[in-house]
Amino acid sequence: MFVAAVTFGGCAGRHTPAWERLDTAQALLEEHPDSALAIIEAIDPTKLGGAEERGRYSLLHAMAIDKCGIDTTDASLIAPALSRYRHHGTADDRLKALYYAGRIASNADSLDAAMRQFVAASAYIPQATDTLAIGRLLIAQAVIKFSLYDYRSALEKSLAAAQLYDQCNAFNYAFDSYEKALGYAMMLDLNDSLPPILYRLGQLAPLSTNGIREFQALRLNVAIHTQDTTAVQEILGNLSCEEIDYSLAVEMLRGFLMLEDYEQAEYIFQLLQEPDGMVNRIKYWAVAVRLAENQQDYKRALDYFAVYDSLRETHDQLRLTQELQFSEERHLNELQVTQLKERNRFNTGIGICISLLILCGLIIALLRLRSVKMQKLLAEKSLEEARMKAELDASQLDNARLEASNLNMRLSSMEAELEILQSAQASQLVQADEVNKLLRNRIDLINFLLHQPNLNPGDSRKSMQNTLEAIIKEDQAFIENTRKAYENAYPRFYSYLKEHDLTPKEISYACLYLMGIRGFEIGELTGDSRHYHVNSSIRKKLGLGSRDSNLDKALQKIFYGLYPRR
């Protein structure tokens, strides 16, 4: 199925050389429709590519024929375009296809079918971008509304089209649209609407082909309609009978009749021939009747009136027949629309029910899937929490073992410290009561700790932490108290050290050295592995040389120099 879809998509997008020729025809369509038609009709329709190319050819062909003024009634001409653009193409493509289908129906005098196509095309106006196409659609609707005597709708659509043409500077189209709107406004006797429309026509006249000449006829028509004899007289005074076309001649004839200038009216009448078109013929014979009456040629006036009356009756019969035909077509159309709406409503209801069932099924499936996913996530989360708890317990056990090992090692090192302190207490070096008291307290503490049972990882971690914190606290207090004791008991020795710029930390080290405690044991007490650097700094500040290898001996020598033995 996938391969078939790809193959079909590839064929649909393939163009023949005719595609470029259609591009050329489309570029010429607005300004040179005859050239565009010649290019299009030179293309062999049987050699066109897929539906896209056939639809475009059909639409451009119908457009070129219409723009060349050929009133075709062949609906098959636009059928490929309608088929293609029913579900494809842009909003402009769809609007144009429906518009030209309506034009063909209108040429066949099927106004109801034409209006259906035009109404369907109106649905694409909000998305369409081709202003000219939208304007043509509105004018086509206005013409049909006019033929059905719905002059107000015809006026509204003509004005809407004129404003669109104004926006894109399509002056000829704008002029024609305003001209139609002016005629519809006069039929509705909307005299207040005439001046602004006429004013805009006056602005567009110099910009439009034959606009100035046509504008003169429109001005005269409005003046006659509003019974403004002053304006009629002024306009006629500025016109020359030698430079007028048929539409202007008719309005001049009406103007001279309004002013009761029958001589000028007769002169212009003689220049005219019976025109084409039912409405123009009725106007022509109505004027002829008035002229014959003015000349008191009542026989000729009666003959003219018989022609006028016959034309008027024929016109009324055609209008009535058209209204009846349109009413019947509209009634049938309304029945079809009603039936179609009923079918659509039923189909829509079925579609909604099926959609709701599918939606419910999807919701249930999604809820079940979500439930399975949630259970899986909860199980994974439980496993992860169990794994993390096991790792945490193992880590805590390892930490407890390490802390117990460190504590037992510290207690072991205190046994050596005990021997040193006992030796220092027994020596004659320590004489001051305050220092002796400090030593006794320290010795008692170490004895107490050493007689406690060894700690192991199974013991309370809090108990181990408390013991270790107590030892560290006592170690720090012992170091600080030793320095203070020597400061109080042996001030000269303490001052000697300060005079040599020893820091309080270095003085504490010196006092411990003087007691006979060795460097690595001082490191155990202070928890500082850098005691060798402190040793080196003390030696340097006291000026000790290489012969003074033992710092404790050197300090004893200094001490006894200040406090001789007795």
Side-chain angles (χ1 to χ4, degrees):
M1 182 179 289
F2 173 75
V3 174
V6 172
T7 304
F8 177 78
C11 293
R14 190 177 301 138
H15 298 148
T16 68
W19 188 267
E20 294 183 359
R21 296 166 69 184
L22 290 174
D23 288 338
T24 304
Q26 185 171 359
L28 295 170
L29 203 54
E30 287 296 335
E31 300 294 333
H32 306 285
D34 51 343
S35 300
L37 181 60
I39 293 172
I40 293 169
E41 291 188 338
I43 297 173
D44 186 355
T46 62
K47 295 182 180 180
L48 293 172
E52 181 184 15
E53 196 164 83
R54 291 195 299 273
R56 189 185 184 202
Y57 171 87
S58 170
L59 178 58
L60 292 178
H61 195 189
M63 291 171 66
I65 287 176
D66 185 75
K67 288 181 182 297
C68 288
I70 303 172
D71 294 333
T72 182
T73 58
D74 184 4
S76 64
L77 183 71
I78 196 67
L82 289 174
S83 176
R84 169 64 185 175
Y85 298 125
R86 183 173 291 110
H87 303 295
H88 302 85
T90 64
D92 289 321
D93 294 331
R94 297 180 179 188
L95 182 145
K96 291 175 186 177
L98 291 165
Y99 166 74
Y100 285 102
R103 289 283 296 160
I104 292 173
S106 179
N107 293 336
D109 291 328
S110 181
L111 299 184
D112 183 56
M115 184 55 78
R116 283 202 303 270
Q117 299 287 12
F118 293 150
V119 170
S122 300
Y124 298 105
I125 288 178
Q127 295 83 32
T129 58
D130 191 334
T131 306
L132 294 178
I134 297 171
R136 291 189 186 104
L137 174 63
L138 293 171
I139 289 298
Q141 291 177 331
V143 170
I144 291 182
K145 292 293 185 181
F146 168 72
S147 65
L148 299 175
Y149 308 103
D150 186 357
Y151 299 141
R152 188 170 296 279
S153 295
L155 172 62
E156 292 172 356
K157 292 187 180 297
S158 296
L159 286 174
Q163 291 166 2
L164 283 175
Y165 290 139
D166 258 344
Q167 292 174 9
C168 62
N169 296 329
F171 302 122
N172 285 330
Y173 291 130
F175 188 91
D176 291 342
S177 300
Y178 280 118
E179 182 179 359
K180 286 182 173 61
L182 187 71
Y184 301 146
M186 285 191 288
M187 290 177 183
L188 292 167
D189 288 326
L190 299 176
N191 292 343
D192 292 340
S193 301
L194 300 180
I197 299 175
L198 193 63
Y199 176 77
R200 183 56 185 154
L201 283 166
Q203 292 177 320
L204 292 171
L207 306 174
S208 307
T209 306
N210 299 323
I212 295 178
R213 184 180 299 174
E214 292 178 12
F215 179 66
Q216 297 298 332
L218 294 173
R219 282 185 63 208
L220 188 54
N221 192 1
V222 171
I224 295 170
H225 177 79
T226 57
Q227 298 294 309
D228 189 347
T229 55
T230 303
V232 171
Q233 191 169 8
E234 177 189 351
I235 296 169
L236 289 174
N238 294 326
L239 294 176
S240 171
C241 295
E242 286 76 19
E243 299 178 357
I244 59 175
D245 58 11
Y246 189 87
S247 61
L248 182 56
V250 171
E251 297 304 329
M252 290 178 66
L253 179 56
R254 292 176 63 211
F256 284 126
L257 287 174
M258 178 180 174
L259 297 176
E260 298 183 352
D261 188 346
Y262 296 106
E263 181 179 352
Q264 287 291 338
E266 180 68 28
Y267 172 75
I268 293 176
F269 183 77
Q270 295 300 325
L271 297 175
L272 298 177
Q273 295 179 353
E274 184 177 1
D276 296 329
M278 182 65 71
V279 175
N280 290 332
R281 291 178 67 193
I282 291 173
K283 288 182 179 179
Y284 176 85
W285 289 108
V287 170
V289 170
R290 288 192 61 186
L291 288 173
E293 287 177 345
N294 180 64
Q295 296 172 356
Q296 297 182 357
D297 188 348
Y298 298 112
K299 182 178 182 306
R300 188 160 61 101
L302 186 60
D303 293 338
Y304 289 167
F305 181 79
V307 176
Y308 166 80
D309 187 60
S310 175
L311 289 172
R312 189 62 182 263
E313 185 177 357
T314 302
H315 178 264
D316 292 341
Q317 288 177 352
L318 287 173
R319 185 176 68 179
L320 180 60
T321 302
Q322 194 173 53
E323 286 180 348
L324 291 173
Q325 181 182 358
F326 180 74
S327 297
E328 291 176 359
E329 291 179 350
R330 183 167 57 184
H331 178 65
L332 291 174
N333 184 50
E334 289 174 352
L335 287 177
Q336 292 174 355
V337 169
T338 302
Q339 293 172 356
L340 182 61
K341 285 182 177 179
E342 290 295 331
R343 286 200 300 271
N344 289 340
R345 190 178 294 113
F346 176 76
N347 293 335
T348 301
I350 294 296
I352 291 173
C353 292
I354 294 174
S355 299
L356 288 174
L357 289 175
I358 293 173
L359 181 61
C360 290
L362 287 174
I363 292 173
I364 292 172
L366 289 173
L367 290 174
R368 287 182 177 177
L369 180 61
R370 183 178 179 184
S371 175
V372 170
K373 285 185 177 180
M374 288 297 295
Q375 291 175 0
K376 184 178 179 181
L377 288 174
L378 289 174
E380 290 176 352
K381 184 177 180 181
S382 299
L383 288 173
E384 182 65 16
E385 288 177 351
R387 185 185 63 78
M388 291 178 65
K389 186 175 184 303
E391 290 179 355
L392 180 62
D393 291 343
S395 176
Q396 289 177 345
L397 182 59
D398 289 342
N399 290 337
R401 287 172 180 169
L402 182 60
E403 289 175 358
S405 175
N406 291 338
L407 184 57
N408 288 327
M409 287 176 63
R410 181 69 186 94
L411 291 174
S412 298
S413 67
M414 292 180 76
E415 294 179 354
E417 182 187 346
L418 179 61
E419 294 180 2
I420 294 170
L421 293 177
Q422 288 174 343
S423 175
Q425 186 181 33
S427 69
Q428 296 180 356
L429 179 63
V430 181
Q431 299 175 3
D433 292 339
E434 188 173 351
V435 177
N436 280 320
K437 182 179 179 182
L438 185 65
L439 286 174
R440 284 196 303 273
N441 290 340
R442 180 67 177 177
I443 290 169
D444 291 342
L445 174 64
I446 293 174
N447 280 324
F448 172 76
L449 291 173
L450 290 176
H451 284 83
Q452 295 295 316
N454 288 342
L455 295 167
N456 56 71
D459 293 331
S460 169
R461 187 176 181 189
K462 185 175 181 180
S463 175
M464 287 189 293
Q465 288 178 339
N466 291 339
T467 303
L468 190 58
E469 288 174 0
I471 292 173
I472 293 171
K473 184 176 181 181
E474 288 297 332
D475 289 346
Q476 293 173 347
F478 174 65
I479 294 169
E480 181 67 19
N481 291 335
T482 298
R483 182 180 62 77
K484 289 181 179 179
Y486 271 87
E487 182 182 2
N488 294 330
Y490 305 108
R492 290 198 301 278
F493 176 70
Y494 188 85
S495 298
Y496 179 86
L497 297 177
K498 288 200 69 174
E499 288 170 0
H500 285 76
D501 296 328
L502 269 69
T503 64
K505 179 179 180 180
E506 291 171 343
I507 294 174
S508 298
Y509 271 59
C511 293
L512 293 172
Y513 269 112
L514 188 60
M515 284 184 176
I517 300 176
R518 290 167 293 184
F520 73 90
E521 293 162 344
I522 295 174
E524 290 286 345
L525 282 171
T526 59
D528 186 2
S529 61
R530 299 175 68 255
H531 59 275
Y532 295 106
H533 298 284
V534 179
N535 184 311
S536 176
S537 178
I538 293 173
R539 293 174 65 84
K540 184 177 180 180
K541 289 180 180 180
L542 294 179
L544 301 178
S546 58
R547 280 186 277 182
D548 302 311
S549 57
N550 295 325
L551 182 59
D552 54 342
K553 299 296 183 183
L555 288 171
Q556 288 179 16
K557 184 177 180 180
I558 294 171
F559 181 81
Y560 285 127
L562 296 171
Y563 296 96
R565 295 176 185 241
R566 295 178 184 177

